[in-house]
Amino acid sequence: MTQTVESENPEVPTTPRDTAPADRARGISAPSRIPAALKRRIPKYSDLAPLIQFKKPEFSRAARLQQASTLWELRDMAKRRTPQAPFDYTDGAAEAEITLRRAREAFVDIEFRPGILRDVSSVDLGTNILGRTSRLPVGIAPTGFTRMMQSEGEYAGSQAAEAAGIPYTLSTMGTASIEDVAEAAPRGRNWFQLYLWTDRDRSLELIERAAKAGNDTLMVTVDTPVAGARLRDVRNGMTIPPGLTLKTVLDASYRPAWWFNFLTHEPLTFASLSRYTGTVADLINSMFDPTLTFDDLDWLRETWKGNLVVKGIQTVDDARKVVDHGADGVVLSNHGGRQLDRAPIPLHLLPEVAQAFKADNSDAAIILDTGIMSGADIIAALALGADFTLIGRAYLYGLMAGGRAGVDRALQILEKDMTRTMALLGASKLSELTPDHVRILGR
């Protein structure tokens, strides 16, 4: 027989006595006691007050940028703020845009393999690239006509890179001069990207200006013998500078801030020529040299005394050849999918190039671009053998979304992504990343 123990605390109920035999016979059990915390009651204002916290709505550009948690959200903002022709020039690629889609899908198909029980209380994203330290393993890639996307253009990009402690690359087709960028970001690490022209004297002039302005790296792009078929630009009637047609005027009515900035700032000027009017394809086809060979790379190596990097490498053999001809580094890139559609995907090519350079005992830098849309993408590339990465569209989305502040926000998002991904992988510094941390699904 169970004995009931009386509680000494009057607020604690005693254990109920046995149900009466008659009740048990009828299947009636003793009523269960409802805990006080589960009894319904009318809430007091003092209970609700701490839960009701109305936040004053903020409609400033800075507040909107801070609400963006991904580069895709910055892209959405950029699309709302930018006319269709310059937005599509940035966002689009060649022909059916298969290459760009595959490049992004390659990062989606990465499976991470984390290590556990590692001390990741502090994560260091610093690295050495081409003889100098970069605070993050990513730099800003060369992009043409950048002030067309947003009036701050190269000035915003170079200053944001300077503040972040990473390299900035000015394009031959940039809409700010070599000297102006150096003045805008005097403490930044500025690189210059070169398209070799049919006029070698003009190319030599640019090289000399880049050296005089303090650029320590020359990045020659070799994947543009002719212009790719960028069909969005064709459909939009895209010209440099954008023309005022009925379509663009209607488009401007939805984006007055862009047009106000565009029309009230200095007309577009270029690092390499003072004025140009026409399509991008016409400009490329009229100025760039389709007869380039490895002999021209030898000439560049003799002419340029700083770091020489070759951008547009899409095969292992070509990666090896340019190093044999004096390149200090290669950029595995298909021009963001803007030249040859169905081109090789840099992330897929990366392990083969890394293995080939290791077999050759080569210390040439392996840099990767195309398809990067998150910090996790960057970490995956580094684990697979890249020494460094570059972003083009990713930072331009921030630029179009909010000028300099938008570029800052894009870099903040990437840094936060990288730090979190590293910690979850169990790596506290980049040198701890190995191919064992990732697997490319389906390969």
Side-chain angles (χ1 to χ4, degrees), residues 379-443:
I379 297 303
L382 297 173
L384 286 172
D387 297 301
F388 202 67
T389 60
L390 296 173
I391 52 169
R393 288 183 183 89
Y395 99 89
L396 290 177
Y397 292 142
L399 176 68
M400 292 185 287
R404 160 68 193 279
V407 181
D408 288 336
R409 184 58 184 155
L411 295 176
Q412 290 165 7
I413 290 170
L414 289 174
E415 181 174 1
K416 187 175 181 180
D417 284 353
M418 287 187 282
T419 302
R420 180 181 59 250
T421 304
M422 287 279 289
L424 292 173
L425 283 176
S428 61
K429 52 188 177 181
L430 299 178
S431 60
E432 294 175 359
L433 293 173
T434 72
D436 291 337
H437 282 107
V438 296
R439 183 168 73 94
I440 302 177
L441 299 178
R443 289 177 66 85

Side-chain angles (χ1 to χ4, degrees), residues 55-343:
K55 186 177 179 182
K56 183 180 178 181
E58 296 184 69
F59 301 104
S60 67
R61 182 179 68 176
R64 290 196 299 270
L65 289 172
Q66 287 303 312
Q67 290 170 3
S69 299
T70 68
L71 296 181
W72 290 106
E73 291 174 4
L74 287 179
R75 178 186 178 276
D76 291 341
M77 294 174 63
K79 189 173 184 178
R80 292 193 297 269
R81 296 178 60 88
T82 312
Q84 183 176 352
F87 177 82
D88 278 354
Y89 174 78
T90 303
D91 193 60
E95 301 179 45
E97 303 187 357
I98 294 169
T99 299
L100 176 59
R101 187 163 58 251
R102 285 177 177 172
R104 286 175 171 166
E105 287 172 353
F107 285 107
V108 173
D109 289 341
I110 285 290
E111 177 185 85
F112 283 119
R113 295 185 166 185
I116 61 170
L117 298 178
R118 273 76 163 179
D119 181 359
V120 289
S121 55
S122 176
V123 173
D124 181 7
L125 296 174
T127 190
N128 185 286
I129 182 66
L130 297 169
R132 290 177 59 181
T133 299
S134 177
R135 196 178 68 84
L136 303 174
V138 60
I140 290 183
T143 57
F145 319 113
T146 313
R147 283 181 53 230
M148 180 180 66
M149 289 58 147
Q150 203 270 356
S151 57
E152 296 177 58
E154 288 85 0
Y155 303 110
S158 59
Q159 290 174 345
E162 178 186 55
I166 63 175
Y168 172 82
T169 315
L170 174 66
S171 170
T172 296
M173 308 314 300
T175 43
S177 72
I178 299 169
E179 294 78 12
D180 286 348
V181 168
E183 184 179 351
R187 293 177 300 278
R189 186 180 185 186
N190 295 321
W191 297 352
F192 184 67
Q193 176 269 335
L194 178 72
Y195 287 112
L196 275 174
W197 296 355
T198 52
D199 185 344
R200 284 293 185 273
D201 289 338
R202 296 290 300 277
S203 296
L204 183 59
E205 177 189 346
L206 287 175
I207 293 170
E208 291 173 345
R209 286 171 59 191
K212 186 177 180 180
N215 291 258
D216 66 82
T217 297
L218 184 69
M219 183 181 296
V220 58
T221 297
V222 295
D223 58 5
T224 53
V226 297
R230 303 172 192 176
L231 300 184
R232 288 204 217 182
D233 295 347
V234 174
R235 297 184 189 110
N236 290 329
M238 176 69 178
T239 60
I240 305 296
L244 285 172
T245 64
L246 177 60
K247 181 179 180 180
T248 56
V249 168
L250 290 173
D251 196 30
S253 65
Y254 297 99
R255 301 165 178 89
W258 186 94
W259 280 102
F260 177 77
N261 285 333
F262 179 77
L263 295 173
T264 57
H265 285 85
E266 283 292 320
L268 297 185
T269 56
F270 300 87
S272 52
L273 65 158
S274 58
R275 290 289 187 275
Y276 177 80
T277 300
T279 67
V280 178
D282 289 342
L283 175 59
I284 291 175
N285 290 332
S286 65
M287 295 182 63
F288 299 163
D289 189 352
T291 68
L292 292 179
T293 68
F294 286 96
D295 292 338
D296 297 287
L297 196 58
D298 293 334
W299 174 77
L300 271 179
R301 180 68 283 177
E302 293 174 4
T303 304
W304 175 259
K305 303 309 178 185
N307 298 313
L308 179 62
V309 174
V310 180
K311 181 176 182 289
I313 299 299
Q314 298 173 70
T315 69
V316 175
D317 285 346
D318 282 345
R320 281 175 151 157
K321 284 180 183 177
V322 298
V323 171
D324 289 342
H325 283 264
D328 299 299
V330 298
V331 182
L332 307 184
S333 170
N334 55 37
H335 215 103
R338 298 164 68 81
Q339 285 295 101
L340 175 67
D341 210 7
R342 299 182 179 86

Side-chain angles (χ1 to χ4, degrees), residues 21-39:
D23 288 342
R24 287 202 306 272
R26 293 196 300 270
I28 301 174
S29 60
S32 59
R33 183 178 182 279
I34 299 176
L38 297 181
K39 289 183 178 179

